[in-house]
């Protein structure tokens, strides 16, 4: 296992660049050093890695940090794909809307609908 | 499962039989004053010789009078219901009844280009109120976005993530933006139902300006659980947070008369009521089974997407055998109102088109007759303006013809006997008084309900303020009625001539109407008013006096529109207690909470810029992106390069939105901006050069 390249050996420009990026993130200052070390570990042989590549590594590191600290919530729950998945909504066609005959009583409703709604009181 | 003969609802009894009698009674009450009024009108019209003109006028008059009478009797029924405090036919539930764990409920908030901070402030307030009930676990919130403005959509994502973080609500407050805005709001809700509907027994549909108290949400679910035949239960949204004079007027009159009118509607609609599109709870399964709306055949405006989908969904629900009720007794349901007259009219333009589309459904199979009547009623809400306009215009023509031709004492049929001129002033005045009573008594009854109860009277600021508010509102509505009449007439004509309304987010902010904007929109009305007034004066000064309230509104429409939109003026009225409403001095907790917009976390740039320059916003946006689709993907490389070479201002809104769909371009630009390769270009994205040691 190779020795990690110390951050101190980077050019001042590179460190300033990475620190500037970190300061724009919600990562607390106390954790900056850890993330920079992560970048350094990714380039064990280079004294001062290419800034674009180093930044790309840092961006990944920040993304991981954001995920780990639940800064980016999951947007939507998984789509329900069980047997209850919508029988309809599949909109009615115009023809169906136009010609539909009324269900004279709620008893005429499909049993699946009644069960789905918990409409079992009666 | 339901089986056997349909049993009566335990608390509502056989309401269908009662409903038939009530509606028959209402029809009689509407017809009773309409025919005598038409008879008197026929006698007071000038110029007996213009038969067809008189006949047209009379027909229009009868429609309009019946229209007013219906509102009048609805108010009377509501007045009685609220005065006696007894209404057997109300969907109620035991307030102590615990909620079943299976009654999972989704609160949906469809949004489109709204102010994200305000949307999430309201959502946050509703959430906190719901959690305070201790029964919030079975509720989930879904913000369903149709936003197209690139800056707004990025800010929406940001506000959502911040809200979730701050409330610790991951997995409970969801956000989704549709790629394609198919069928607008109804399509957005349908999209939710298709994907997640089966996970919930109920959904409460909110508007972007809706706000609900947690207890009210619980009550709605509880009532649905207690009444398994109810498909939709509509809570009555009260207007809050009004600041401009117009909004305060609307807020005042709605608080004064809204409960009475809805109680009246409940009296004769009962389980065949309508749904107003928000602040209502819906049983998801029957909604999915019966309420998926098609496009109407033919092109917009009368074909295409059904704009006023809510009425049709209620009708479909009833057609499917379910009931739709109004829960007019529930407090804690709120909404906001358009702040200016122009905003209100912009909304009316869409509603007008949607309501006129309903006329195409009048003869569709299976709808309950009451819903057919409601389709007609909804369309009449706007067509009545055209009738009012036609009525006034024909009245002017008739008066002019009578004035210029003079009275004919000898007609061919009359032989040697002259036809004497008969003054019908007293009959005309009687008719006018009857019409005014029909128009204004409901508001007076609303005021009586408030005044006769000490608690409500005090909440409205006392007797003097209620009366001052009532008279000021009456004066304001009289002045604004002709302005609305002219606009609604134009909307009806535009729609019938095939011009479609634009779909855009509503202005819910407090920006007033400028003089230039007012001139542009009300110039025509002002000119029309001036010309009409001049003609009326030239024809017959007495006729001019009759028309003067209408003319005044039109002639002064520009200053009315401007001053009624001024927040400063509204605030002065509030300080003086004019249009004070309950909860204004000490707002309910949920309303107070909704006014506290969250502190926005600092970021590099805002909106589109933030999605590219700010690390957290950038990553959030990438996380929300779905697989790329569409032919416009081919433009991404060119847009990306242009954005970098020429800066963000080189892209228009459409191009920015397109670029926001490509994670690779966004990542590339994000890297470039922070790479320090070109500090000047990075500065254009809001990123200052690095401080070199």
């Amino acid at each position: 296992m190779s020795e990690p390249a110390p951050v101190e050996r980077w050019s001042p420009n590179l460190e300033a660049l990475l620190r500037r990026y970190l300061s724009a993130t919600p990562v607390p200052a106390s954790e900056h050093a850890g993330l920079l070390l992560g970048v350094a570990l990714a380039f064990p042989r280079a004294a001062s890695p290419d800034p674009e590549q180093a930044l790309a590594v840092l961006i990944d590191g920040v993304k991981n940090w954001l995920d780990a600290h639940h800064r980016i919530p999951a947007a939507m729950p998984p789509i329900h794909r069980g047997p209850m998945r919508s029988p309809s909504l599949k909109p009615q066609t115009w023809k169906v809307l136009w010609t539909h005959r009324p269900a004279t009583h709620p008893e005429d409703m499909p049993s699946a609908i009644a069960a789905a709604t918990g409409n079992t009181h009666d | 499962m339901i089986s056997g003969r349909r049993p009566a609802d335990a608390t509502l009894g056989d309401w269908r039989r009662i409903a038939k009698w009530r509606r028959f009674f209402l029809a009689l009450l509407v017809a009773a004053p309409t025919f005598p009024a038409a008879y008197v009108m026929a006698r007071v019209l000038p110029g007996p010789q213009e038969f067809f003109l008189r006949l047209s006028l009379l027909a229009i008059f009868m429609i309009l009078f019946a229209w007013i009478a219906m509102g009048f009797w609805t108010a009377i029924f509501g007045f009685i219901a609220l005065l006696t405090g007894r209404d057997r036919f109300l969907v109620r539930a035991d307030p102590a009844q615990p909620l079943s764990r299976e009654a999972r409920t989704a609160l949906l908030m469809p949004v489109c280009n709204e102010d994200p901070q305000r949307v999430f402030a309201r959502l946050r307030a509703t959430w906190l109120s719901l959690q305070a009930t201790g029964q919030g676990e079975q509720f989930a919130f879904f913000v369903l976005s149709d936003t197209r403005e690139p800056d707004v959509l990025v800010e929406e994502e940001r506000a959502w993530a911040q809200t979730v973080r701050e409330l610790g609500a991951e997995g409970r407050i969801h956000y989704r933006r549709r790629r394609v805005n198919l069928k607008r709001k109804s399509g957005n809700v349908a999209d939710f139902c298709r994907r997640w509907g089966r996970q919930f027994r109920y959904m409460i549909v909110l508007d972007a300006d809706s706000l609900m108290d947690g207890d009210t949400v619980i009550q709605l679910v509880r009532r649905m659980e207690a009444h398994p035949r109810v498909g939709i239960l509509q809570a009555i949204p009260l207007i809050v947070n009004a600041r401009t004079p117009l909004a305060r007027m609307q807020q005042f009159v709605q608080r004064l008369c809204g409960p009475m009118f809805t109680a009246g509607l409940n009296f004769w609609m009962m389980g065949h009521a309508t749904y107003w599109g928000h602040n209502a709870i819906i049983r998801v399964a029957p909604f999915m089974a019966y309420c998926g709306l098609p496009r109407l055949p033919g092109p917009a405006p009368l074909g295409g997407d059904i704009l006023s989908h809510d009425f049709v969904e209620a009708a479909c629900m009833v057609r499917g055998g379910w009931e739709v009720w109004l829960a007019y007794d529930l407090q804690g349901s709120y909404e906001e109102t358009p702040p200016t007259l122009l905003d209100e009219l912009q909304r009316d333009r869409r509603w007008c088109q949607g309501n006129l589309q309903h006329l195409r459904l009048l003869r569709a199979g299976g709808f309950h007759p009451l819903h057919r009547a409601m389709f007609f009623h909804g369309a009449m809400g706007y067509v009545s303006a055209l009738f009012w306009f036609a009525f006034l215009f024909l009245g002017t023509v008739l008066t002019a013809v009578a004035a210029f031709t003079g009275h004919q004492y000898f007609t061919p049929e009359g032989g040697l006997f002259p036809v004497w001129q008969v003054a019908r002033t007293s009959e005309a005045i009687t008719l006018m008084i009857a019409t005014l009573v029909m128009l204004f008594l409901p508001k007076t009854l609303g005021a009586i309900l408030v005044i006769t109860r000490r608690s409500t009277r005090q909440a409205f600021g006392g007797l003097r303020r209620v009366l001052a508010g009532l008279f000021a509102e009456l004066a304001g509505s009289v002045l604004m009625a002709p302005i609305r009449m002219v606009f609604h007439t134009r909307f009806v004509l535009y729609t019938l001539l095939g011009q479609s309304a634009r779909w855009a987010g509503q202005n819910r902010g407090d920006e007033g109407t400028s003089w230039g904007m007012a001139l542009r929109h009300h110039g025509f009305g002002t000119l029309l008013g001036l010309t009409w007034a001049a003609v009326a004066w030239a024809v017959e000064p007495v006729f001019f006096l009759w028309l003067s309230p209408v003319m005044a509104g039109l002639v002064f429409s520009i200053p009315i529109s401007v001053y009624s939109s001024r927040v400063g003026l509204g605030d002065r009225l509030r300080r003086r207690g004019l249009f004070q409403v309950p909860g204004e001095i000490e707002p309910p907790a949920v309303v107070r909470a909704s006014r506290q917009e969250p502190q926005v976390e600092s970021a590099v740039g805002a909106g589109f810029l933030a999605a590219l320059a700010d690390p957290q916003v950038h990553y959030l946006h990438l996380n929300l992106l779905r697989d790329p689709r569409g032919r416009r993907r081919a433009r991404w490389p060119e847009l990306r390069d242009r954005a970098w070479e020429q800066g963000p201002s080189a892209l228009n809104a459409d191009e920015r939105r397109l670029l926001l769909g490509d994670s690779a371009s966004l990542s590339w630009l994000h890297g470039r901006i922070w790479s320090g390769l070109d500090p000047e270009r990075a500065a254009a994205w809001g990123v200052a050069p690095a401080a070199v040691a």
Side-chain angles (χ1 to χ4, degrees):
Chain A
M1 202 170 147
S2 57
E3 283 293 306
V7 174
E8 289 77 27
R9 288 171 60 191
W10 287 352
S11 74
N13 276 348
L14 176 62
E15 192 180 342
L17 183 90
L18 298 183
R19 284 196 182 278
R20 180 183 60 157
Y21 185 78
L22 279 173
S23 68
T25 69
V27 178
S30 59
E31 296 190 33
H32 286 188
L35 282 165
L36 289 175
L37 185 63
V39 177
L41 282 168
F43 302 96
R45 291 197 188 129
S48 193
D50 172 59
E52 275 194 273
Q53 286 178 351
L55 182 66
V57 173
L58 182 62
I59 289 173
D60 270 348
V62 169
K63 281 178 185 174
N64 290 336
W65 186 92
L66 291 171
D67 280 337
H69 289 81
H70 301 285
R71 301 287 302 186
I72 309 293
M76 293 300 268
I79 295 171
H80 188 92
R81 293 186 188 280
M84 290 290 285
R85 193 175 181 219
S86 164
S88 166
L89 232 93
K90 216 177 164 195
Q92 309 169 69
T93 59
W94 166 246
K95 195 176 166 197
V96 169
L97 183 73
W98 182 258
T99 57
H100 181 90
R101 298 262 71 86
T104 46
H105 297 303
E107 293 93 305
D108 300 338
M109 289 183 304
S111 56
I113 300 299
T117 55
N119 196 352
T120 55
H121 294 50
D122 303 321
Chain B
M1 191 188 303
I2 296 171
S3 59
R5 205 180 138 65
R6 177 182 48 172
D9 189 300
T11 52
L12 296 172
D14 190 7
W15 61 266
R16 284 181 174 81
R17 191 176 54 80
I18 308 283
K20 275 182 194 159
W21 280 107
R22 286 184 176 185
R23 288 164 200 165
F24 176 69
F25 185 49
L26 174 70
L28 277 185
L29 287 174
V30 169
T34 303
F35 287 101
Y39 173 74
V40 176
M41 186 68 190
R43 285 168 61 84
V44 300
L45 283 176
Q49 60 274 36
E50 289 81 20
F51 178 74
F52 286 108
L53 204 53
R54 286 161 57 87
L55 198 66
S56 315
L57 257 174
L58 263 185
I60 293 172
F61 174 81
M62 281 182 75
I63 294 170
L64 291 174
F65 200 89
W67 170 254
I68 297 171
M70 195 156 151
F72 172 79
W73 288 113
T74 300
I76 298 284
F77 293 145
F79 177 75
I80 295 167
L82 293 187
L83 195 68
T84 57
R86 280 199 316 217
D87 192 344
R88 195 155 66 84
F89 298 101
L90 191 56
V91 173
R92 292 190 183 93
D94 177 2
Q97 181 78 27
L99 286 190
S100 151
R101 288 247 157 226
E102 278 123 48
R104 291 202 68 220
T105 304
L107 284 96
L108 311 186
M109 192 178 256
V111 295
C112 176
N113 296 325
E114 303 282 346
D115 177 350
Q117 295 310 317
R118 295 184 75 153
V119 166
F120 281 93
R122 286 184 277 261
L123 182 143
R124 171 190 293 260
T126 304
W127 165 273
L128 289 172
S129 178
L130 196 50
Q131 299 312 310
T133 63
Q135 299 182 76
E137 308 82 44
Q138 62 202 69
F139 294 88
F141 286 60
F142 289 80
V143 178
L144 306 172
S145 172
D146 266 334
T147 294
R148 312 292 288 165
E149 288 291 328
D151 286 337
V152 181
L153 74 89
V154 173
E155 288 304 315
E156 251 174 28
E157 293 170 354
R158 203 173 142 189
W160 162 71
Q162 187 181 335
T163 306
V164 170
R165 272 197 304 272
E166 287 176 6
L167 298 176
E170 186 161 10
R172 306 274 305 283
I173 299 179
H174 306 286
Y175 173 83
R176 170 182 162 81
R177 192 171 68 83
R178 287 199 300 167
R179 276 190 249 242
V180 182
N181 301 1
L182 200 67
K183 292 190 192 167
R184 310 177 191 218
K185 184 178 167 185
S186 68
N188 205 351
V189 172
D191 188 58
F192 163 82
C193 288
R194 253 194 311 275
R195 292 163 197 273
W196 295 282
R198 287 299 180 195
Q199 298 174 14
F200 298 94
R201 186 180 285 178
Y202 305 114
M203 59 182 179
I204 294 178
V205 181
L206 302 173
D207 231 352
D209 62 2
S210 293
L211 185 64
M212 284 192 107
D213 190 86
D215 283 326
T216 309
V217 170
I218 301 284
Q219 276 299 322
L220 282 172
V221 177
R222 200 171 272 148
R223 291 180 184 201
M224 291 296 273
E225 287 284 279
H227 297 271
R229 296 182 184 289
V230 176
I232 301 177
L233 184 59
Q234 173 72 60
I236 312 305
L238 298 175
I239 296 174
V240 287
N241 295 335
R243 291 194 65 196
T244 64
L246 175 77
R248 288 182 56 74
M249 251 171 67
Q250 303 279 46
Q251 179 179 260
F252 175 78
V253 75
Q254 195 234 29
R255 293 297 186 92
L256 202 67
C257 305
M260 181 180 71
F261 270 106
T262 41
L265 285 175
N266 188 61
F267 177 84
W268 56 267
M269 282 184 164
M270 304 184 86
H272 297 141
T274 55
Y275 159 48
W276 299 338
H278 56 93
N279 294 42
I281 187 165
I282 297 174
R283 205 177 287 274
V284 176
F287 184 83
M288 287 165 72
Y290 300 115
C291 302
L293 299 183
R295 281 211 158 104
L296 296 176
L302 293 176
D305 296 336
I306 299 177
L307 294 194
S308 299
H309 53 91
D310 36 17
F311 274 36
V312 187
E313 285 159 353
C316 287
M317 191 66 103
V318 169
R319 187 167 77 164
W322 296 82
E323 297 168 12
V324 178
W325 287 85
L326 299 174
Y328 69 86
D329 61 320
L330 266 186
Q331 305 291 311
S333 157
Y334 307 98
E335 66 170 343
E336 292 182 10
T337 188
T340 73
L341 190 55
L342 289 180
D343 290 317
E344 180 196 298
L345 292 167
Q346 187 195 346
R347 182 197 63 184
D348 283 352
R349 173 76 175 92
R350 289 196 313 274
W351 285 5
C352 171
Q353 182 177 327
N355 289 9
L356 287 178
Q357 283 178 328
H358 292 170
L359 293 176
R360 297 191 60 189
L361 297 171
L362 277 179
R363 290 183 55 246
F367 285 131
H368 191 277
L370 187 75
H371 282 127
R372 292 181 203 281
M374 291 317 294
F375 288 154
F376 182 73
H377 187 268
M380 264 301 285
Y382 293 95
V383 177
S384 61
L386 180 64
F387 285 160
W388 278 118
F389 186 81
F391 180 73
L392 292 172
F393 181 74
L394 290 177
T396 309
V397 171
L398 194 61
T399 310
V401 169
F404 288 122
T405 55
H407 185 77
Q408 292 183 5
Y409 289 92
F410 296 97
T411 58
E413 302 85 39
L416 292 172
F417 298 100
V419 180
W420 297 108
Q421 265 187 305
V422 183
R424 309 250 185 224
T425 315
S426 64
E427 283 169 280
I429 288 174
T430 309
L431 187 60
M432 189 184 76
I433 289 172
T435 310
L436 291 180
V437 166
M438 289 271 185
L439 277 174
F440 298 128
L441 188 66
K443 287 182 183 174
T444 313
L445 292 179
I448 290 171
L449 279 174
V450 165
I451 291 165
T452 48
R453 289 185 187 130
R454 190 154 173 263
S455 59
T456 50
R457 186 173 66 236
Q458 283 175 341
F460 273 85
L463 177 65
R464 234 160 34 100
R465 283 179 175 166
V466 173
L467 292 180
L470 177 69
F471 288 120
E473 197 283 329
L474 283 176
S477 60
V478 165
L479 282 173
M480 287 187 190
I483 305 174
R484 291 186 175 114
M485 174 190 75
V486 169
F487 272 90
H488 290 179
T489 301
R490 284 164 64 180
F491 296 161
V492 172
L493 293 176
Y494 288 156
T495 307
L496 295 178
L497 292 172
Q499 203 182 92
S500 198
R502 265 188 332 113
W503 187 44
Q506 262 175 242
N507 170 30
R508 303 186 205 271
D510 293 322
E511 301 87 25
T513 303
S514 67
W515 286 99
M517 203 192 292
L519 181 67
R520 207 163 52 249
H521 287 93
H522 297 289
F524 169 77
T526 307
L527 209 62
L528 178 73
L530 284 170
T531 314
W532 205 336
V535 169
W537 179 261
V539 165
E540 175 65 70
V542 177
F543 182 65
F544 169 81
L545 288 178
W546 280 91
L547 273 187
S548 56
V550 178
M551 297 304 118
L554 287 180
V555 170
F556 296 110
S557 54
I558 293 173
I560 289 171
S561 188
V562 170
Y563 285 114
S564 66
S565 75
R566 295 269 169 96
V567 170
L569 185 56
D571 285 346
R572 276 209 293 281
L573 296 180
R574 181 173 52 79
R575 283 195 292 275
R576 293 187 176 201
L578 190 63
F579 302 134
Q580 183 177 318
V581 294
E584 193 165 45
I585 306 295
E586 281 184 42
V590 71
V591 176
R592 241 180 5 251
S594 75
R595 291 176 186 164
Q596 293 161 3
E597 291 183 15
Q599 194 82 37
V600 183
E601 290 172 345
S602 64
V604 182
F608 175 70
L609 257 61
L612 284 148
D614 184 86
Q616 183 170 240
V617 179
H618 170 73
Y619 185 46
L620 169 67
H621 181 73
L622 292 190
N623 234 29
L624 292 173
L625 278 183
R626 296 193 293 280
D627 299 337
R629 271 195 293 186
R631 268 176 289 173
R632 296 175 81 199
R633 277 186 293 171
R635 288 196 65 201
W636 281 340
E638 182 263 321
L639 291 178
R640 182 195 67 192
D641 293 345
R642 180 144 52 97
W644 177 242
E645 296 297 330
Q646 299 171 33
S649 55
L651 304 183
N652 63 30
D654 186 47
E655 290 169 334
R656 287 176 176 209
R657 191 176 66 243
L658 187 56
L659 192 61
L660 283 173
D662 180 26
S663 57
S665 296
L666 296 177
S667 295
W668 184 85
L669 279 165
H670 185 64
R672 282 273 147 151
I673 290 166
W674 287 99
S675 68
L677 292 174
D678 192 334
E680 221 170 280
R681 283 182 183 150
W685 295 89
V687 175
V692 180

